[in-house]
Amino acid sequence: MGNQKPQSQNIVIENKQTSVKLKYVKLGYHYLISNFMYFSLIPLILTLAHLSLEDLAQLFHRLDLGLVSGTLVCTALTVCLATLYFSWRPREVYLLDFSCFKPEPALMCSRETFMRQTSLAELFNDETQAFHRKIIERSGYGQRTYVPKAALEDVPSASMGKAREEVEMVVFGAIDELLAKTGVNVKDIGILVVNCSLFNPTPSLSAMVVNRYKLRGNILSYSLGGMGCSAGLISVDLAKRLLQDQPNTYALVVSTESMTLNWYGGKNKSMLITNCLFRLGSSAVLLTNKWTERRRSKYQLMHTLRTHKGADDKSYRCVMQQEDEDGKVGVELSRDLLTVAGEAIKTNITMLGPLVLPASEQILFLANLVGRKIFKMKIKQYVPDFKLAFEHICIHAGGRAVLDEIEKNLSLTKWHVEPSRMTLYRFGNTSSSSLWYELAYTEAKGRVRKGDRVWQIAFGSGFKCNSGVWRALRRINPAKEKNPWIDEIDEFPVDVPDIQPVIGH
């Protein structure tokens, strides 16, 4: 009786080992069957690799292959090779359409309204209010940006319920418009990516979208949080990668930010800046890998490039949510922010250059690099002319100072920076969705022609800098577009007097 227990344990261990072996045998079997076509081509490819044209001619002669038989063999070989090529080639990703949420006029917030509401909150003294006024006057914002409903109440207050209402309003508004423009059935959407940096409730924001639109049960859904203003392009990059493994489907990418629960009520000036900067907005983008949708798609995604500088402590800490000395939570912006952003952008465009720049610019850049690094020549670093690579440039509208620096360092014209400056003026910094308001501005101006190349570049906490490169598949006719700028685009030429003093500084 005493030996029965160890024997039973041995039997259990042996059964487990057998089941594990069977598991791997089954996996190997499924893998072999699933990829049988590719394995069967390996001997043929290896054989053909060692045959010359003369060898092939002799083979046909010895087998006495007639014209018909030889044609059939060549056709079969061509089909096999073509199948192999199209199976291994990355799937092309198209942007079917996108939309940007435009809040109702009742949510507009002028500079005077902003100062009145901050005083009603009774959180700030005269010194902090003066700092608010200084920042808002230098921000490059106009008089018609938008804020959440909670910020315009007689006594501004914040709650989880009001934060949900804010996000539902902007996210559902953007998605509703996008679905109306594209006519895509929600059941055909196989991938969902939602990004919002500071508001991450449970259930997640992606679950909120699934519930509202009754998306299918096997959808690949993701909520990205804490990734800052560059999360929009990170979401596009994630969707692109997922589309490589999910044939014939659509990917919905939603970008937004929530302000209701992220108001800072302390006296730390480096945290007060965020109160003045962020505004209400959201975008929804529909991507697809269906080749049948290419004809009606707006753009093809050519490149996504991500740069992360988080390994450097200064970069990691330059934008950080934390408590101040009084225990009040806010997002602190370091004095090193512009320097860190400049370094991140420099790294990103150095990696992007070889993918998009013409050979002439790459040769000049290489010659300059060799001269400085190898021959130790005291010459200024050569900045490639990215205007030769792109017709349109959308820079994240993070602030007037950032746009000024990028315009200067990349030698851009005011025409190239106009979409970013106008977005900053009209809608403010809408975080990760700002790039799409800028592209919408470019479309509303009637500037996008077939074959045009668009460069989107964004940066955010972490510190990260990300680029997305698109190619227009058709001319965008603004008269046929539902666009947040359409009804007022003529009100915002660059030389309007009430805009120029703010932008020109």
Side-chain angles (χ1 to χ4, degrees):
M1 294 291 292
N3 295 330
Q4 287 181 355
K5 191 173 182 180
Q7 288 178 354
S8 63
Q9 289 178 344
N10 292 336
I11 293 172
V12 170
I13 292 173
E14 289 177 0
N15 288 338
K16 286 184 177 180
Q17 292 175 342
T18 303
S19 64
V20 169
K21 292 178 180 178
L22 288 174
K23 174 185 175 182
Y24 286 110
V25 169
K26 290 179 180 179
L27 286 174
Y29 168 74
H30 287 299
Y31 183 79
L32 180 64
I33 295 300
S34 300
N35 298 277
F36 176 76
M37 181 185 71
Y38 304 122
F39 288 124
S40 64
L41 290 174
I42 292 176
L44 178 61
I45 293 173
L46 292 176
T47 302
L48 292 176
H50 292 84
L51 292 179
S52 63
L53 292 177
E54 184 179 349
D55 294 332
L56 290 174
Q58 292 179 359
L59 177 62
F60 274 76
H61 179 71
R62 290 180 181 178
L63 293 177
D64 195 23
L65 294 176
L67 180 60
V68 175
S69 300
T71 303
L72 291 175
V73 171
C74 292
T75 302
L77 181 60
T78 302
V79 169
C80 289
L81 293 176
T83 302
L84 195 63
Y85 169 74
F86 284 108
S87 299
W88 288 353
R89 188 187 65 167
R91 290 188 173 93
E92 293 181 342
V93 175
Y94 308 111
L95 190 158
L96 190 60
D97 213 327
F98 69 95
S99 64
C100 299
F101 178 72
K102 186 175 183 178
E104 59 187 28
L107 298 179
M108 282 185 181
C109 181
S110 65
R111 292 189 286 271
E112 293 76 19
T113 301
F114 175 85
M115 295 305 303
R116 184 189 71 236
Q117 293 304 111
T118 53
S119 64
L120 289 174
E122 297 182 350
L123 297 172
F124 309 105
N125 56 31
D126 292 342
E127 182 182 356
T128 52
Q129 278 292 79
F131 184 76
H132 274 148
R133 183 176 293 105
K134 176 182 176 181
I135 296 300
I136 199 69
E137 288 177 352
R138 297 182 179 183
S139 64
Y141 288 17
Q143 295 285 64
R144 294 194 287 171
T145 58
Y146 301 94
V147 295
K149 184 178 180 180
L152 296 175
E153 295 176 344
D154 292 339
V155 181
S157 61
S159 67
M160 178 63 76
K162 291 180 179 179
R164 284 186 182 275
E165 288 179 7
E166 174 197 351
V167 172
E168 289 175 355
M169 174 183 65
V170 297
V171 167
F172 295 162
I175 296 176
D176 287 345
E177 181 179 314
L178 179 63
L179 293 177
K181 290 167 72 172
T182 60
V184 171
N185 189 326
V186 293
K187 297 299 182 182
D188 293 331
I189 299 174
I191 299 167
L192 170 66
V193 184
V194 182
N195 69 79
C196 182
S197 188
L198 294 177
F199 182 58
N200 294 284
T202 299
S204 67
L205 296 180
S206 62
M208 179 188 76
V209 175
V210 171
N211 177 260
R212 165 62 184 265
Y213 295 96
K214 309 305 177 189
L215 302 181
R216 67 196 202 197
N218 64 343
I219 191 169
L220 301 178
S221 65
Y222 301 85
S223 283
L224 304 184
M227 305 196 80
C229 299
S230 67
L233 289 180
I234 294 175
S235 299
V236 168
D237 178 72
L238 174 59
K240 180 191 77 170
R241 295 171 187 270
L242 293 171
L243 284 169
Q244 299 306 310
D245 297 322
Q246 304 293 319
N248 297 315
T249 192
Y250 298 92
L252 175 61
V253 176
V254 183
S255 301
T256 192
E257 190 53 81
S258 175
M259 300 167 56
T260 299
L261 286 180
N262 296 294
W263 183 263
Y264 173 66
K267 58 185 179 182
N268 187 319
K269 291 183 178 180
S270 61
M271 293 181 172
L272 286 169
I273 296 175
T274 57
N275 289 347
C276 306
L277 292 185
F278 291 101
R279 291 294 184 267
L280 195 67
S282 181
S283 65
V285 180
L286 193 62
L287 304 175
T288 184
N289 55 14
K290 301 179 70 171
W291 67 270
T292 53
E293 290 283 29
R294 178 187 173 93
R295 181 183 57 82
R296 71 181 186 123
S297 293
K298 283 186 172 181
Y299 304 93
Q300 180 179 346
L301 180 58
M302 307 305 295
H303 306 286
T304 53
L305 188 62
R306 297 169 55 181
T307 301
H308 205 306
K309 307 290 285 187
D312 175 66
D313 289 343
K314 186 170 69 172
S315 298
Y316 172 69
R317 297 183 180 278
C318 72
V319 180
M320 179 165 285
Q321 186 180 28
Q322 58 188 6
E323 295 91 354
D324 64 8
E325 56 273 15
D326 298 322
K328 296 181 178 180
V329 177
V331 177
E332 183 174 13
L333 303 182
S334 166
R335 292 180 180 273
D336 299 321
L337 179 58
L338 281 181
T339 303
V340 166
E343 290 297 322
I345 293 171
K346 185 187 299 183
T347 302
N348 188 266
I349 65 176
T350 300
M351 298 169 62
L352 180 67
L355 299 176
V356 298
L357 287 171
S360 57
E361 284 297 298
Q362 295 192 45
I363 292 172
L364 290 174
F365 178 80
L366 180 61
N368 179 271
L369 182 66
V370 170
R372 289 185 298 108
K373 298 297 184 181
I374 298 179
F375 296 104
K376 307 299 180 183
M377 298 172 63
K378 293 183 179 180
I379 55 177
K380 186 178 179 180
Q381 181 179 355
Y382 179 72
V383 179
D385 187 358
F386 280 89
K387 298 188 295 295
L388 298 175
F390 305 106
E391 282 74 33
H392 313 286
I393 300 176
C394 300
I395 308 163
H396 166 54
R400 177 188 55 79
V402 175
L403 295 179
D404 289 345
E405 285 297 310
I406 294 178
E407 178 183 352
K408 175 183 175 182
N409 293 332
L410 294 183
S411 300
L412 301 177
T413 66
K414 292 188 179 299
W415 188 88
H416 286 98
V417 189
E418 180 185 333
S420 301
R421 292 202 186 279
M422 295 302 105
T423 296
L424 188 68
Y425 181 83
R426 178 63 180 85
F427 292 97
N429 181 353
T430 61
S431 190
S432 55
S433 64
S434 68
L435 294 174
W436 300 103
Y437 286 88
E438 295 165 17
L439 186 55
Y441 177 90
T442 305
E443 290 185 353
K445 280 285 191 177
R447 295 176 177 177
V448 181
R449 301 288 191 271
K450 182 177 180 180
D452 281 2
R453 298 155 297 179
V454 180
W455 178 23
Q456 293 180 319
I457 181 168
F459 28 85
S461 59
F463 194 87
K464 301 178 288 293
C465 179
N466 304 309
S467 288
V469 177
W470 307 85
R471 183 169 62 85
L473 296 176
R474 56 184 172 87
R475 178 183 178 275
I476 308 300
N477 185 354
K480 298 181 179 180
E481 294 293 319
K482 185 173 177 55
N483 187 308
W485 293 94
I486 288 297
D487 297 333
E488 51 189 72
I489 193 65
D490 293 333
E491 300 179 25
F492 295 100
V494 181
D495 56 352
V496 168
D498 65 334
I499 300 178
Q500 188 62 27
V502 178
I503 293 177
H505 282 78

